[in-house]
Every structure is written in structure tokens, then in C-alpha cells.
Amino acid sequence: MKITQALIFPLSIPLIEPIKMAKEVIVDAKTVLVCLTDDGGRQGWGEASVAPLMTGETLDSLLASIKYLAEKIRTTEWTEPKIFISQLDAILYGNPSAKSCLEMALLDLYTQKKSIPLWKYLQSLSNGNAVVSPNRMPLLRMLGGTLDKEIADAKTFRQAGFKHWKIKIGLLSLDEDLHRVKVLSELLKDDVVSVDANGAMSLEDAIRFCESLEAKNLSFAEQLINANSSLDDFVLLKKHSAIPIALDESIHGIQEIEGFIKAKAFDGASLKLIKTGGVLEAWSCAQTLCEKGFKLNLACKVAETSLSGAATASIGFALGEVPWGFSMSNQYLKFDICDKPLRANQGYLDCAQMNAVGVGITPNIDRVKDAMAQGYSTIQY
């Protein structure tokens, strides 16, 4: 399979409302879409979003790496998905977000050519030709804003079927966060309720949080301390915690997962394609976690479109179970780039919403062009 054309679209899509995290406030989704055309006339789509505090990427830096890769890939034969990333590594060092974007588009082309959905291809990597019908996947919903707003949102979305929740903490004082967690945990009793500090807590505060009575009913606590903290700090936090510890910013691939497993420093991880460098590495990470008895959450960066959502969801559908839920972030966008965006159905995502072949979502080119970031234009190679 040879690539005959690459189109690159730098986008900026406003959110329904700002999302406040411990270290940043997000008002729009800055993301890059790539459309590759192969020698059979098929079009494959990929996406990667900016994440200055997670991958170090801004829109300009991500765009520069994707442009560099897109210009070079036309001289390469793309036949075996298992070596797509190593082929991209031979063109450019590092830059996992850009490579995840190109790998997604290449996998879209490959699975279209094979007339199978991406989730079924992933499942075949471990099950051979045996295909297990995918279960619907629980969607995780973020809560934020004032406590009154969080309570109102929790009631509304719970009525709509949601049972998995993430409370953003670290922006307020520890005592204020503990009060919020206690109130929301009691309101959402028997659901999967988690918190995420995005690494904003000190080790002392994180230990106090995890030992508190207010947090005792949480299903897990995600990335309480900074990703650059020492391994000894993570081990100590895990030792003192009465609730399961999840890591996000600390996990960029199988090497970190194996290291934290060996150190007994966590209970599970949140996987994002822009961190792992693509679908296949994320799939490998997910399998390792499941095989060794650890839990996982699949997540899109806030916020990505249904395209990235479908690629990430393919991992969950191939696995069969995602115990900590799927953070599908297109639900926070004012509009999406396809005619039929992925939507929650009673708090779950159904595989039937996705296309029968490929990644599962085909963007509408007019919608894509309407979402172009100001001052940018389509790039063609």
C-alpha cells in the first residue's frame, strides 16, 4: 500500500463550556486531522490533539511534526501494521502524538482494504480468527464547576444512564475537595466514582486524601502527584492509600507500565493514544494490564472528535471489558466533524454506531473545513 496524497487540517473546536483542571482551563479543542489517500483510492483518517502539559505539544509543534511525516511517508510501502510505528520511527525520532495520528490513518486504510473494522483486527492479534462480539462500553462523565452545578449535572446524566464519573480535584484546597468528593460519592453511591488531580497534589496531601474517610468510597484516584515524582513517592502513596491508585500522565507506554507493576506502585492506568504513540502500542499496554490483573480506563484528551473516539473505543471493543470506563471527550464539543457523532446510549457506547470497516468514523470534509483553526489553512502533500 502506497500513499499518494496527504491532507492536514489544524482545527480549533469550541467546548460547550470551559473545563477547569488543576493546572489549566480548556475552552476549545485544538486538534489535527490527517487524511491519507492510498494507491487504491481509499481515504484513511487520523487525529491527534495538543497537550502541552501531557505530551509537550502545542498546535504549531504538533503540526510541524505531522507535516514532516506526511511529506516523507509517500516513498514507503505500508503493508504490515505491526511495523507501522517502527517505519515512522525511521523517519522521525520521538513525537508520539504525531505518529499516533499517522498510524491511525494508516490503520484506517489497512482495515478498509481488508474489509474489517479496526476493533476486529485488534482482536485477531490475540485471538487469531476467533471473533468475540463486543460488549457495549461504559462512558465516563467528568464533573466540574461549582458543587451545586456538579450535583445538578450528576443527577441529570445519571438519569440518562451514566454510571462512571470523574471528579476533577486539585484546583481548590484539600478540605474543599474532600467535601466535594464526600457529597458526590454519597449522591452517586454504587456507581464507579473517581477523582483526577492531574498531578497537582503534594505527596503529603495525596496521602492525606487517600487515607481520608471522605474518599473511602471512591473506585480509584488518578494521577494525584506529579508525573515527575520519584518511583519511591508513588510506592509510598500506594502503600498508604485505602483506594486504588491510577496513573495517567506517568504512563506513556509499556515500559512505564512494567516498571510500575514491578514496583507495586499502582492499581491501573489511563491510556491515551497521544501518549502511547498509537493504537497498537495502546492495545499492547491494555493487554498487559488485563493479563496481569490491573484495571484500565481508556481516554481521549479533552477534547477530541469522534474520529479519535472511535479509534480509542476500538481497543475497548476488542478487549471486551473496560472496568474504569471510556472517557469519550467529543461529548464536550459544541459540534463534531462527522455527520453522525458518537453518542452515549444510556451511558454506554455501542459498537453499532461505528462504520462496518476501518476506524469507524468518516469525517465530513465540509465540517472539517468549518472547524479550521483561525490563521491556519489546509496543507497538502
Side-chain angles (χ1 to χ4, degrees), residues 114-188:
K114 296 295 182 180
S115 298
I116 58 171
L118 177 59
W119 70 263
K120 191 174 291 188
Y121 167 74
L122 294 175
Q123 203 174 80
S124 73
L125 296 179
S126 57
N127 294 348
N129 293 325
V131 177
V132 179
S133 296
N135 298 319
R136 61 180 190 158
M137 190 161 24
L139 295 177
L140 185 150
R141 181 79 194 186
M142 277 195 299
L143 296 172
T146 66
L147 181 55
D148 286 343
K149 183 180 184 304
E150 289 178 311
I151 291 171
D153 285 348
K155 289 179 178 178
T156 297
F157 287 103
R158 200 184 201 201
Q159 181 121 19
F162 281 84
K163 298 293 183 183
H164 287 64
W165 311 92
K166 177 180 285 186
I167 306 166
K168 287 291 185 179
I169 61 173
L171 187 64
L172 305 175
S173 70
L174 180 58
D175 287 337
E176 287 175 297
D177 278 337
L178 284 171
H179 174 65
R180 290 171 57 228
V181 167
K182 180 177 184 294
V183 171
L184 292 169
S185 294
E186 290 174 351
L187 176 66
L188 301 168

Side-chain angles (χ1 to χ4, degrees), residues 280-294:
L280 292 187
E281 176 67 9
W283 169 247
S284 177
C285 291
Q287 285 190 300
T288 297
L289 289 167
C290 292
E291 289 168 0
K292 295 184 181 292
F294 291 80

Side-chain angles (χ1 to χ4, degrees), residues 30-34 46-59 61-67 69 85 88-89 92-105 251-252 272-279 281 301 304 308:
K30 290 184 171 61
T31 191
V32 179
L33 264 59
V34 166
E47 177 181 7
S49 62
V50 308
L53 300 180
M54 182 177 292
T55 62
E57 297 284 14
T58 64
L59 186 58
S61 68
L62 179 59
L63 187 59
S65 299
I66 290 175
K67 285 166 60 179
L69 289 168
I85 287 297
L88 293 170
D89 286 343
L92 181 65
Y93 175 79
N95 294 279
S97 298
K99 289 173 182 174
S100 73
C101 183
L102 271 296
E103 186 216 42
M104 189 188 301
I251 304 298
H252 287 257
K272 292 184 176 75
L273 305 186
I274 58 171
K275 294 189 303 170
T276 63
V279 172
E281 176 67 9
K301 178 69 175 71
E304 293 175 330
S308 183

